[in-house]
């Protein structure tokens, strides 16, 4: 299976102000660190760790911090495909 490249991650646009990670609902996503896609070792699930730029939901919106989240590659590819289909 081919992992998403930085070029593929660049295609995802962050629209709206209420996007959050399932692992950190108190943080709002402001962007993706496109060079952060790191494959992790697992024979069955093919996980990838992607780092997002986040801010505290009730905090200073200028205080951007990194927050990593692990996804299955098949889900990431679906997300990229879905994001492309709703944009164009």
């Amino acid at each position: 299976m081919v992992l998403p490249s930085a070029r593929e991650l660049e295609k995802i646009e962050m629209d709206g102000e209420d996007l959050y990670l399932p692992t950190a609902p108190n943080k709002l996503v402001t962007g993706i660190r496109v060079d952060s896609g790191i494959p992790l070792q697992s024979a069955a699930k093919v996980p990838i760790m992607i780092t997002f730029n986040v801010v505290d939901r009730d905090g200073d919106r200028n205080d951007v911090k990194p927050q990593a989240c692990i996804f299955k590659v098949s889900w990431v590819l679906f997300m990229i495909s879905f994001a492309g289909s709703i944009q164009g």
Side-chain angles (χ1 to χ4, degrees):
M1 180 170 285
V2 178
L3 296 174
S5 66
R7 188 178 330 168
E8 293 299 316
L9 292 175
E10 286 174 347
K11 292 178 183 178
I12 300 173
E13 293 183 16
M14 300 291 130
D15 292 334
E17 296 181 11
D18 58 349
L19 182 63
Y20 65 92
L21 297 174
T23 57
N26 60 326
K27 307 282 186 188
L28 296 175
V29 175
T30 61
I32 297 176
R33 295 191 174 193
V34 296
D35 60 345
S36 71
I38 300 170
L40 303 175
Q41 290 185 338
S42 172
K45 297 183 181 179
V46 192
I48 183 171
M49 183 170 59
I50 299 174
T51 303
F52 296 85
N53 293 325
V54 300
V55 295
D56 286 330
R57 185 178 291 273
D58 298 321
D60 181 0
R61 297 294 172 110
N62 294 317
D63 187 19
V64 179
K65 297 180 179 172
Q67 175 81 39
C69 192
I70 298 171
F71 300 96
K72 288 183 183 180
V73 170
S74 59
W75 190 86
V76 172
L77 295 176
F78 168 79
M79 182 176 72
I80 291 169
S81 172
F82 182 73
S85 69
I86 61 173
Q87 292 174 19

